[in-house]
Amino acid sequence: MSVTKGLLVRFDALPGKEDEVVEFLDAGLGLVEQEPATIAWFAIRLGPSSFGIFDVFPDDAGRDTHLSGPVAAALGEQTGALFSEPTIEKLDVQASKLPS
């Protein structure tokens, strides 16, 4: 399986909400496990209150499906409650190494 597209989503936890953001991201794993076109998904912590999600897809269709799926909906629901407005960057993957 190869990947050609990705997303980098970044956001900051609202003051005092860092632990709740960690729980939110942990729960997100269960949602993306239901998405066959999400080849790899990573919840990341960039700093004390800065978080993100990095994920990759085989093509635009897989990425678009993800962007209209349950993780995107959950992000929208929690924006302003747990974290700031996310920045979502669409990426092209130039090279990758994935498990066989």
Side-chain angles (χ1 to χ4, degrees):
M1 170 75 51
S2 67
V3 294
T4 64
K5 301 298 176 187
L7 289 172
L8 178 60
V9 180
R10 291 185 271 181
F11 49 89
D12 292 315
L14 296 178
K17 299 289 186 176
E18 294 82 2
D19 291 341
E20 290 177 66
V21 170
V22 169
E23 291 173 12
F24 169 80
L25 291 170
D26 287 344
L29 179 59
L31 298 174
V32 295
E33 287 177 340
Q34 307 302 314
E35 298 179 358
T38 302
I39 303 304
W41 183 89
F42 303 91
I44 56 177
R45 192 167 197 162
L46 302 163
S49 62
S50 296
F51 295 87
I53 297 170
F54 174 71
D55 37 16
V56 292
F57 313 89
D59 52 29
D60 282 317
R63 181 170 62 189
D64 292 344
T65 298
H66 177 73
L67 284 170
S68 63
V71 173
L75 276 172
E77 291 169 6
Q78 296 303 321
T79 298
L82 293 182
F83 42 77
S84 62
E85 183 75 32
T87 59
I88 300 173
E89 299 176 64
K90 291 183 175 181
L91 310 170
D92 291 324
V93 176
Q94 301 302 309
S96 63
K97 179 185 180 296
L98 298 170
S100 345

Short mmCIF file of all heavy atoms in Angstrom, two decimals, residues 17-86:
data_model
loop_
_atom_site.label_atom_id
_atom_site.label_comp_id
_atom_site.label_asym_id
_atom_site.label_seq_id
_atom_site.Cartn_x
_atom_site.Cartn_y
_atom_site.Cartn_z
N LYS A 17 -7.43 22.50 29.82
CA LYS A 17 -8.12 21.41 29.10
C LYS A 17 -7.15 20.39 28.49
O LYS A 17 -7.57 19.49 27.76
CB LYS A 17 -8.99 21.99 27.98
CG LYS A 17 -10.08 22.92 28.46
CD LYS A 17 -11.16 22.15 29.17
CE LYS A 17 -12.33 23.07 29.51
NZ LYS A 17 -13.43 22.33 30.11
N GLU A 18 -5.87 20.48 28.82
CA GLU A 18 -4.88 19.61 28.19
C GLU A 18 -5.18 18.13 28.39
O GLU A 18 -5.10 17.33 27.44
CB GLU A 18 -3.47 19.94 28.71
CG GLU A 18 -2.97 21.31 28.34
CD GLU A 18 -3.45 22.45 29.24
OE1 GLU A 18 -4.19 22.18 30.23
OE2 GLU A 18 -3.12 23.61 28.96
N ASP A 19 -5.51 17.73 29.61
CA ASP A 19 -5.81 16.31 29.87
C ASP A 19 -7.05 15.84 29.10
O ASP A 19 -7.10 14.71 28.61
CB ASP A 19 -6.00 16.04 31.36
CG ASP A 19 -4.71 16.19 32.15
OD1 ASP A 19 -3.61 16.14 31.54
OD2 ASP A 19 -4.78 16.35 33.39
N GLU A 20 -8.04 16.71 28.98
CA GLU A 20 -9.24 16.35 28.21
C GLU A 20 -8.93 16.22 26.73
O GLU A 20 -9.52 15.37 26.04
CB GLU A 20 -10.33 17.39 28.44
CG GLU A 20 -10.91 17.35 29.86
CD GLU A 20 -11.93 18.43 30.08
OE1 GLU A 20 -12.99 18.39 29.42
OE2 GLU A 20 -11.68 19.33 30.90
N VAL A 21 -8.01 17.03 26.23
CA VAL A 21 -7.60 16.91 24.82
C VAL A 21 -6.91 15.57 24.60
O VAL A 21 -7.16 14.89 23.60
CB VAL A 21 -6.72 18.09 24.38
CG1 VAL A 21 -6.11 17.85 23.01
CG2 VAL A 21 -7.52 19.39 24.38
N VAL A 22 -6.06 15.16 25.54
CA VAL A 22 -5.39 13.86 25.43
C VAL A 22 -6.45 12.74 25.37
O VAL A 22 -6.37 11.84 24.54
CB VAL A 22 -4.41 13.64 26.60
CG1 VAL A 22 -3.92 12.20 26.66
CG2 VAL A 22 -3.24 14.61 26.49
N GLU A 23 -7.46 12.81 26.23
CA GLU A 23 -8.53 11.81 26.21
C GLU A 23 -9.29 11.84 24.89
O GLU A 23 -9.65 10.79 24.34
CB GLU A 23 -9.49 12.06 27.37
CG GLU A 23 -8.89 11.78 28.74
CD GLU A 23 -9.81 12.18 29.88
OE1 GLU A 23 -11.01 12.47 29.64
OE2 GLU A 23 -9.31 12.22 31.02
N PHE A 24 -9.55 13.03 24.38
CA PHE A 24 -10.24 13.18 23.10
C PHE A 24 -9.44 12.52 21.99
O PHE A 24 -9.99 11.78 21.16
CB PHE A 24 -10.45 14.68 22.81
CG PHE A 24 -10.91 14.98 21.43
CD1 PHE A 24 -12.24 14.83 21.08
CD2 PHE A 24 -10.01 15.41 20.46
CE1 PHE A 24 -12.68 15.11 19.79
CE2 PHE A 24 -10.43 15.69 19.17
CZ PHE A 24 -11.77 15.54 18.84
N LEU A 25 -8.14 12.76 21.96
CA LEU A 25 -7.30 12.17 20.92
C LEU A 25 -7.22 10.65 21.06
O LEU A 25 -7.26 9.93 20.06
CB LEU A 25 -5.91 12.79 20.94
CG LEU A 25 -5.86 14.25 20.49
CD1 LEU A 25 -4.49 14.84 20.77
CD2 LEU A 25 -6.21 14.38 19.03
N ASP A 26 -7.13 10.16 22.28
CA ASP A 26 -7.13 8.70 22.50
C ASP A 26 -8.41 8.08 21.94
O ASP A 26 -8.38 7.01 21.32
CB ASP A 26 -6.99 8.37 23.99
CG ASP A 26 -5.59 8.61 24.53
OD1 ASP A 26 -4.64 8.76 23.72
OD2 ASP A 26 -5.44 8.66 25.76
N ALA A 27 -9.54 8.73 22.15
CA ALA A 27 -10.82 8.22 21.65
C ALA A 27 -10.88 8.28 20.12
O ALA A 27 -11.56 7.47 19.49
CB ALA A 27 -11.98 9.02 22.25
N GLY A 28 -10.16 9.22 19.53
CA GLY A 28 -10.15 9.35 18.08
C GLY A 28 -9.60 8.12 17.37
O GLY A 28 -10.00 7.81 16.25
N LEU A 29 -8.71 7.41 18.04
CA LEU A 29 -8.14 6.21 17.44
C LEU A 29 -9.24 5.21 17.07
O LEU A 29 -9.21 4.62 15.99
CB LEU A 29 -7.12 5.57 18.38
CG LEU A 29 -6.46 4.30 17.89
CD1 LEU A 29 -5.73 4.52 16.58
CD2 LEU A 29 -5.53 3.76 18.96
N GLY A 30 -10.20 5.03 17.94
CA GLY A 30 -11.30 4.10 17.65
C GLY A 30 -12.10 4.51 16.43
O GLY A 30 -12.59 3.66 15.69
N LEU A 31 -12.22 5.81 16.20
CA LEU A 31 -12.97 6.29 15.03
C LEU A 31 -12.23 6.00 13.73
O LEU A 31 -12.82 5.54 12.77
CB LEU A 31 -13.25 7.79 15.16
CG LEU A 31 -14.11 8.23 16.34
CD1 LEU A 31 -14.19 9.74 16.42
CD2 LEU A 31 -15.50 7.62 16.24
N VAL A 32 -10.92 6.27 13.71
CA VAL A 32 -10.18 6.07 12.46
C VAL A 32 -9.93 4.60 12.15
O VAL A 32 -9.67 4.25 11.00
CB VAL A 32 -8.86 6.86 12.42
CG1 VAL A 32 -9.12 8.34 12.43
CG2 VAL A 32 -7.91 6.45 13.51
N GLU A 33 -10.03 3.74 13.15
CA GLU A 33 -9.90 2.31 12.88
C GLU A 33 -11.01 1.81 11.97
O GLU A 33 -10.88 0.77 11.35
CB GLU A 33 -9.85 1.52 14.19
CG GLU A 33 -8.53 1.69 14.91
CD GLU A 33 -8.47 0.98 16.25
OE1 GLU A 33 -9.52 0.66 16.82
OE2 GLU A 33 -7.35 0.76 16.72
N GLN A 34 -12.09 2.56 11.86
CA GLN A 34 -13.22 2.20 11.00
C GLN A 34 -13.06 2.75 9.58
O GLN A 34 -13.95 2.58 8.75
CB GLN A 34 -14.53 2.73 11.61
CG GLN A 34 -14.76 2.31 13.04
CD GLN A 34 -14.77 0.80 13.20
OE1 GLN A 34 -15.40 0.09 12.43
NE2 GLN A 34 -14.06 0.30 14.20
N GLU A 35 -11.96 3.45 9.31
CA GLU A 35 -11.74 4.08 8.00
C GLU A 35 -10.65 3.33 7.24
O GLU A 35 -9.46 3.54 7.49
CB GLU A 35 -11.32 5.54 8.18
CG GLU A 35 -12.34 6.41 8.86
CD GLU A 35 -11.87 7.85 9.02
OE1 GLU A 35 -10.73 8.18 8.65
OE2 GLU A 35 -12.66 8.65 9.53
N PRO A 36 -11.00 2.48 6.29
CA PRO A 36 -9.98 1.71 5.59
C PRO A 36 -8.99 2.56 4.79
O PRO A 36 -7.85 2.15 4.58
CB PRO A 36 -10.77 0.78 4.67
CG PRO A 36 -12.18 1.24 4.72
CD PRO A 36 -12.35 2.14 5.89
N ALA A 37 -9.39 3.74 4.35
CA ALA A 37 -8.48 4.58 3.56
C ALA A 37 -7.56 5.43 4.42
O ALA A 37 -6.67 6.10 3.88
CB ALA A 37 -9.28 5.47 2.61
N THR A 38 -7.74 5.42 5.73
CA THR A 38 -6.78 6.09 6.61
C THR A 38 -5.70 5.06 6.91
O THR A 38 -5.87 4.20 7.77
CB THR A 38 -7.46 6.61 7.90
OG1 THR A 38 -8.52 7.49 7.52
CG2 THR A 38 -6.48 7.35 8.77
N ILE A 39 -4.60 5.15 6.19
CA ILE A 39 -3.55 4.14 6.26
C ILE A 39 -2.76 4.26 7.56
O ILE A 39 -2.42 3.25 8.18
CB ILE A 39 -2.61 4.26 5.04
CG1 ILE A 39 -3.41 4.15 3.74
CG2 ILE A 39 -1.48 3.24 5.12
CD1 ILE A 39 -4.23 2.88 3.60
N ALA A 40 -2.45 5.47 7.96
CA ALA A 40 -1.74 5.70 9.23
C ALA A 40 -2.30 6.97 9.85
O ALA A 40 -2.61 7.94 9.15
CB ALA A 40 -0.24 5.82 8.99
N TRP A 41 -2.41 6.96 11.18
CA TRP A 41 -3.00 8.09 11.92
C TRP A 41 -2.21 8.26 13.20
O TRP A 41 -1.95 7.28 13.91
CB TRP A 41 -4.46 7.78 12.23
CG TRP A 41 -5.22 8.85 12.93
CD1 TRP A 41 -5.91 9.87 12.34
CD2 TRP A 41 -5.43 9.01 14.34
NE1 TRP A 41 -6.52 10.64 13.29
CE2 TRP A 41 -6.24 10.13 14.54
CE3 TRP A 41 -4.98 8.30 15.46
CZ2 TRP A 41 -6.62 10.57 15.79
CZ3 TRP A 41 -5.37 8.74 16.72
CH2 TRP A 41 -6.18 9.86 16.87
N PHE A 42 -1.79 9.47 13.47
CA PHE A 42 -0.99 9.77 14.66
C PHE A 42 -1.57 10.98 15.38
O PHE A 42 -1.75 12.03 14.77
CB PHE A 42 0.46 10.09 14.28
CG PHE A 42 1.12 9.00 13.50
CD1 PHE A 42 1.07 9.01 12.11
CD2 PHE A 42 1.79 7.97 14.14
CE1 PHE A 42 1.68 8.01 11.37
CE2 PHE A 42 2.40 6.97 13.42
CZ PHE A 42 2.35 6.98 12.03
N ALA A 43 -1.85 10.82 16.66
CA ALA A 43 -2.18 11.96 17.52
C ALA A 43 -0.85 12.38 18.14
O ALA A 43 -0.12 11.54 18.68
CB ALA A 43 -3.18 11.55 18.59
N ILE A 44 -0.53 13.66 18.07
CA ILE A 44 0.77 14.14 18.51
C ILE A 44 0.65 15.30 19.49
O ILE A 44 -0.32 16.05 19.45
CB ILE A 44 1.65 14.54 17.31
CG1 ILE A 44 0.95 15.58 16.43
CG2 ILE A 44 2.00 13.30 16.47
CD1 ILE A 44 1.77 16.08 15.26
N ARG A 45 1.64 15.39 20.36
CA ARG A 45 1.74 16.52 21.27
C ARG A 45 2.97 17.31 20.87
O ARG A 45 4.08 16.78 20.86
CB ARG A 45 1.82 16.05 22.71
CG ARG A 45 1.64 17.19 23.70
CD ARG A 45 1.42 16.66 25.10
NE ARG A 45 0.87 17.72 25.93
CZ ARG A 45 0.25 17.51 27.07
NH1 ARG A 45 0.10 16.27 27.52
NH2 ARG A 45 -0.23 18.51 27.77
N LEU A 46 2.77 18.56 20.54
CA LEU A 46 3.84 19.42 20.06
C LEU A 46 4.45 20.28 21.16
O LEU A 46 5.53 20.83 20.99
CB LEU A 46 3.32 20.31 18.93
CG LEU A 46 2.74 19.54 17.74
CD1 LEU A 46 1.89 20.44 16.87
CD2 LEU A 46 3.85 18.91 16.94
N GLY A 47 3.77 20.41 22.26
CA GLY A 47 4.21 21.22 23.39
C GLY A 47 3.24 21.05 24.53
O GLY A 47 2.31 20.24 24.44
N PRO A 48 3.42 21.79 25.61
CA PRO A 48 2.56 21.61 26.78
C PRO A 48 1.07 21.71 26.49
O PRO A 48 0.28 20.95 27.03
CB PRO A 48 3.01 22.72 27.73
CG PRO A 48 4.39 23.05 27.30
CD PRO A 48 4.44 22.81 25.82
N SER A 49 0.69 22.63 25.60
CA SER A 49 -0.74 22.76 25.28
C SER A 49 -1.01 22.71 23.78
O SER A 49 -2.12 22.97 23.34
CB SER A 49 -1.29 24.06 25.86
OG SER A 49 -0.64 25.17 25.29
N SER A 50 0.00 22.34 22.99
CA SER A 50 -0.14 22.26 21.53
C SER A 50 -0.23 20.80 21.10
O SER A 50 0.61 19.99 21.50
CB SER A 50 1.04 22.93 20.84
OG SER A 50 1.07 24.30 21.13
N PHE A 51 -1.22 20.50 20.28
CA PHE A 51 -1.49 19.14 19.85
C PHE A 51 -1.70 19.10 18.35
O PHE A 51 -1.85 20.13 17.70
CB PHE A 51 -2.75 18.60 20.54
CG PHE A 51 -2.61 18.48 22.02
CD1 PHE A 51 -2.88 19.55 22.86
CD2 PHE A 51 -2.20 17.28 22.59
CE1 PHE A 51 -2.75 19.43 24.24
CE2 PHE A 51 -2.06 17.15 23.97
CZ PHE A 51 -2.34 18.24 24.79
N GLY A 52 -1.77 17.89 17.82
CA GLY A 52 -2.04 17.76 16.41
C GLY A 52 -2.39 16.34 16.03
O GLY A 52 -2.35 15.42 16.86
N ILE A 53 -2.75 16.20 14.78
CA ILE A 53 -3.02 14.90 14.17
C ILE A 53 -2.32 14.89 12.83
O ILE A 53 -2.41 15.86 12.06
CB ILE A 53 -4.54 14.69 13.97
CG1 ILE A 53 -5.28 14.69 15.31
CG2 ILE A 53 -4.80 13.40 13.20
CD1 ILE A 53 -6.80 14.73 15.18
N PHE A 54 -1.62 13.80 12.56
CA PHE A 54 -1.01 13.60 11.25
C PHE A 54 -1.52 12.27 10.72
O PHE A 54 -1.48 11.26 11.43
CB PHE A 54 0.52 13.57 11.35
CG PHE A 54 1.18 13.22 10.06
CD1 PHE A 54 1.18 14.12 9.00
CD2 PHE A 54 1.77 11.99 9.88
CE1 PHE A 54 1.76 13.78 7.78
CE2 PHE A 54 2.36 11.64 8.67
CZ PHE A 54 2.36 12.55 7.62
N ASP A 55 -2.05 12.28 9.51
CA ASP A 55 -2.54 11.04 8.93
C ASP A 55 -2.27 11.02 7.44
O ASP A 55 -2.05 12.06 6.82
CB ASP A 55 -4.01 10.78 9.24
CG ASP A 55 -4.89 12.00 9.26
OD1 ASP A 55 -4.50 13.06 8.76
OD2 ASP A 55 -6.01 11.90 9.78
N VAL A 56 -2.25 9.79 6.88
CA VAL A 56 -1.94 9.63 5.46
C VAL A 56 -2.95 8.70 4.79
O VAL A 56 -3.56 7.84 5.43
CB VAL A 56 -0.50 9.11 5.25
CG1 VAL A 56 0.52 10.15 5.66
CG2 VAL A 56 -0.26 7.80 5.98
N PHE A 57 -3.05 8.90 3.47
CA PHE A 57 -4.08 8.25 2.67
C PHE A 57 -3.50 7.85 1.31
O PHE A 57 -2.54 8.45 0.84
CB PHE A 57 -5.26 9.22 2.45
CG PHE A 57 -5.69 9.89 3.71
CD1 PHE A 57 -5.11 11.09 4.10
CD2 PHE A 57 -6.63 9.32 4.53
CE1 PHE A 57 -5.48 11.71 5.30
CE2 PHE A 57 -7.01 9.92 5.72
CZ PHE A 57 -6.43 11.12 6.10
N PRO A 58 -4.12 6.88 0.64
CA PRO A 58 -3.61 6.47 -0.67
C PRO A 58 -3.86 7.51 -1.76
O PRO A 58 -3.12 7.57 -2.74
CB PRO A 58 -4.34 5.17 -0.96
CG PRO A 58 -5.57 5.21 -0.12
CD PRO A 58 -5.22 6.03 1.09
N ASP A 59 -4.91 8.33 -1.59
CA ASP A 59 -5.29 9.25 -2.66
C ASP A 59 -6.21 10.34 -2.12
O ASP A 59 -6.55 10.36 -0.93
CB ASP A 59 -5.98 8.49 -3.80
CG ASP A 59 -7.13 7.60 -3.30
OD1 ASP A 59 -7.77 7.93 -2.28
OD2 ASP A 59 -7.39 6.56 -3.94
N ASP A 60 -6.59 11.25 -3.00
CA ASP A 60 -7.49 12.36 -2.62
C ASP A 60 -8.83 11.85 -2.11
O ASP A 60 -9.40 12.42 -1.18
CB ASP A 60 -7.73 13.30 -3.81
CG ASP A 60 -6.57 14.24 -4.06
OD1 ASP A 60 -6.03 14.79 -3.08
OD2 ASP A 60 -6.21 14.43 -5.24
N ALA A 61 -9.35 10.80 -2.73
CA ALA A 61 -10.67 10.29 -2.32
C ALA A 61 -10.64 9.81 -0.87
O ALA A 61 -11.57 10.10 -0.11
CB ALA A 61 -11.11 9.16 -3.25
N GLY A 62 -9.59 9.11 -0.48
CA GLY A 62 -9.47 8.67 0.91
C GLY A 62 -9.37 9.83 1.88
O GLY A 62 -9.99 9.82 2.94
N ARG A 63 -8.60 10.83 1.49
CA ARG A 63 -8.46 12.01 2.36
C ARG A 63 -9.79 12.76 2.46
O ARG A 63 -10.19 13.17 3.54
CB ARG A 63 -7.35 12.92 1.82
CG ARG A 63 -7.15 14.16 2.68
CD ARG A 63 -5.92 14.93 2.30
NE ARG A 63 -5.99 15.43 0.93
CZ ARG A 63 -4.95 15.98 0.32
NH1 ARG A 63 -3.77 16.10 0.92
NH2 ARG A 63 -5.07 16.43 -0.91
N ASP A 64 -10.48 12.91 1.34
CA ASP A 64 -11.77 13.61 1.35
C ASP A 64 -12.80 12.87 2.19
O ASP A 64 -13.58 13.49 2.92
CB ASP A 64 -12.29 13.81 -0.08
CG ASP A 64 -11.44 14.80 -0.87
OD1 ASP A 64 -10.65 15.56 -0.25
OD2 ASP A 64 -11.56 14.81 -2.11
N THR A 65 -12.80 11.54 2.11
CA THR A 65 -13.71 10.74 2.93
C THR A 65 -13.42 10.97 4.41
O THR A 65 -14.34 11.15 5.21
CB THR A 65 -13.57 9.24 2.58
OG1 THR A 65 -13.96 9.06 1.22
CG2 THR A 65 -14.45 8.38 3.48
N HIS A 66 -12.15 11.00 4.77
CA HIS A 66 -11.77 11.24 6.16
C HIS A 66 -12.22 12.64 6.62
O HIS A 66 -12.73 12.79 7.72
CB HIS A 66 -10.26 11.09 6.31
CG HIS A 66 -9.75 11.40 7.67
ND1 HIS A 66 -9.94 10.55 8.74
CD2 HIS A 66 -9.04 12.45 8.14
CE1 HIS A 66 -9.37 11.08 9.81
NE2 HIS A 66 -8.82 12.23 9.47
N LEU A 67 -12.03 13.62 5.76
CA LEU A 67 -12.40 14.99 6.11
C LEU A 67 -13.91 15.17 6.30
O LEU A 67 -14.33 16.14 6.93
CB LEU A 67 -11.90 15.97 5.05
CG LEU A 67 -10.40 16.25 5.10
CD1 LEU A 67 -9.97 17.04 3.88
CD2 LEU A 67 -10.04 17.00 6.38
N SER A 68 -14.70 14.26 5.78
CA SER A 68 -16.15 14.35 5.98
C SER A 68 -16.64 13.29 6.97
O SER A 68 -17.84 13.10 7.10
CB SER A 68 -16.87 14.22 4.64
OG SER A 68 -16.64 12.95 4.09
N GLY A 69 -15.72 12.63 7.65
CA GLY A 69 -16.07 11.54 8.55
C GLY A 69 -16.19 11.93 10.01
O GLY A 69 -16.22 13.12 10.37
N PRO A 70 -16.25 10.93 10.89
CA PRO A 70 -16.51 11.16 12.30
C PRO A 70 -15.41 11.91 13.05
O PRO A 70 -15.71 12.65 13.99
CB PRO A 70 -16.71 9.77 12.88
CG PRO A 70 -16.12 8.83 11.90
CD PRO A 70 -16.19 9.51 10.57
N VAL A 71 -14.15 11.77 12.65
CA VAL A 71 -13.08 12.50 13.34
C VAL A 71 -13.22 13.99 13.08
O VAL A 71 -13.14 14.81 13.99
CB VAL A 71 -11.69 11.99 12.93
CG1 VAL A 71 -10.59 12.87 13.52
CG2 VAL A 71 -11.50 10.55 13.38
N ALA A 72 -13.46 14.34 11.82
CA ALA A 72 -13.66 15.75 11.47
C ALA A 72 -14.88 16.32 12.20
O ALA A 72 -14.84 17.46 12.70
CB ALA A 72 -13.81 15.90 9.97
N ALA A 73 -15.95 15.55 12.28
CA ALA A 73 -17.15 16.01 13.00
C ALA A 73 -16.84 16.23 14.47
O ALA A 73 -17.26 17.23 15.07
CB ALA A 73 -18.28 15.00 12.82
N ALA A 74 -16.09 15.31 15.07
CA ALA A 74 -15.73 15.44 16.49
C ALA A 74 -14.85 16.66 16.72
O ALA A 74 -15.01 17.38 17.72
CB ALA A 74 -15.04 14.17 16.98
N LEU A 75 -13.93 16.91 15.80
CA LEU A 75 -13.10 18.12 15.92
C LEU A 75 -13.98 19.37 15.92
O LEU A 75 -13.78 20.27 16.74
CB LEU A 75 -12.10 18.21 14.77
CG LEU A 75 -10.81 17.45 14.91
CD1 LEU A 75 -10.02 17.49 13.60
CD2 LEU A 75 -9.95 18.00 16.04
N GLY A 76 -14.93 19.40 15.00
CA GLY A 76 -15.83 20.54 14.94
C GLY A 76 -16.64 20.73 16.22
O GLY A 76 -16.81 21.85 16.70
N GLU A 77 -17.10 19.62 16.78
CA GLU A 77 -17.90 19.69 18.01
C GLU A 77 -17.10 20.19 19.21
O GLU A 77 -17.66 20.83 20.09
CB GLU A 77 -18.48 18.31 18.32
CG GLU A 77 -19.53 17.84 17.35
CD GLU A 77 -19.89 16.37 17.54
OE1 GLU A 77 -19.42 15.73 18.50
OE2 GLU A 77 -20.64 15.85 16.69
N GLN A 78 -15.82 19.88 19.24
CA GLN A 78 -15.00 20.24 20.41
C GLN A 78 -14.23 21.54 20.23
O GLN A 78 -13.62 22.03 21.19
CB GLN A 78 -14.05 19.10 20.75
CG GLN A 78 -14.76 17.84 21.19
CD GLN A 78 -15.67 18.07 22.38
OE1 GLN A 78 -15.36 18.82 23.30
NE2 GLN A 78 -16.83 17.42 22.37
N THR A 79 -14.26 22.12 19.03
CA THR A 79 -13.60 23.41 18.82
C THR A 79 -14.29 24.47 19.67
O THR A 79 -15.51 24.60 19.64
CB THR A 79 -13.64 23.80 17.32
OG1 THR A 79 -12.92 22.82 16.58
CG2 THR A 79 -13.03 25.17 17.10
N GLY A 80 -13.52 25.16 20.44
CA GLY A 80 -14.06 26.17 21.34
C GLY A 80 -14.39 25.63 22.72
O GLY A 80 -14.49 26.39 23.67
N ALA A 81 -14.58 24.32 22.83
CA ALA A 81 -14.85 23.70 24.13
C ALA A 81 -13.58 23.14 24.74
O ALA A 81 -13.32 23.32 25.93
CB ALA A 81 -15.89 22.59 23.98
N LEU A 82 -12.78 22.43 23.92
CA LEU A 82 -11.52 21.85 24.41
C LEU A 82 -10.29 22.53 23.82
O LEU A 82 -9.25 22.58 24.47
CB LEU A 82 -11.44 20.36 24.06
CG LEU A 82 -12.42 19.42 24.72
CD1 LEU A 82 -12.15 17.99 24.27
CD2 LEU A 82 -12.31 19.53 26.23
N PHE A 83 -10.42 23.03 22.59
CA PHE A 83 -9.25 23.58 21.91
C PHE A 83 -9.64 24.69 20.95
O PHE A 83 -10.81 24.87 20.63
CB PHE A 83 -8.46 22.49 21.18
CG PHE A 83 -9.32 21.50 20.44
CD1 PHE A 83 -9.91 21.80 19.23
CD2 PHE A 83 -9.55 20.24 20.97
CE1 PHE A 83 -10.69 20.89 18.55
CE2 PHE A 83 -10.34 19.31 20.31
CZ PHE A 83 -10.91 19.64 19.10
N SER A 84 -8.60 25.39 20.50
CA SER A 84 -8.77 26.48 19.55
C SER A 84 -9.16 25.94 18.17
O SER A 84 -9.10 24.74 17.92
CB SER A 84 -7.45 27.25 19.44
OG SER A 84 -6.43 26.40 18.94
N GLU A 85 -9.51 26.85 17.29
CA GLU A 85 -9.82 26.48 15.90
C GLU A 85 -8.62 25.77 15.28
O GLU A 85 -7.52 26.30 15.26
CB GLU A 85 -10.15 27.75 15.10
CG GLU A 85 -10.56 27.51 13.69
CD GLU A 85 -11.98 26.96 13.57
OE1 GLU A 85 -12.83 27.31 14.39
OE2 GLU A 85 -12.20 26.18 12.62
N PRO A 86 -8.81 24.56 14.79
CA PRO A 86 -7.68 23.83 14.21
C PRO A 86 -7.23 24.44 12.88
O PRO A 86 -8.05 24.98 12.13
CB PRO A 86 -8.22 22.42 13.98
CG PRO A 86 -9.51 22.34 14.69
CD PRO A 86 -10.01 23.73 14.86
#
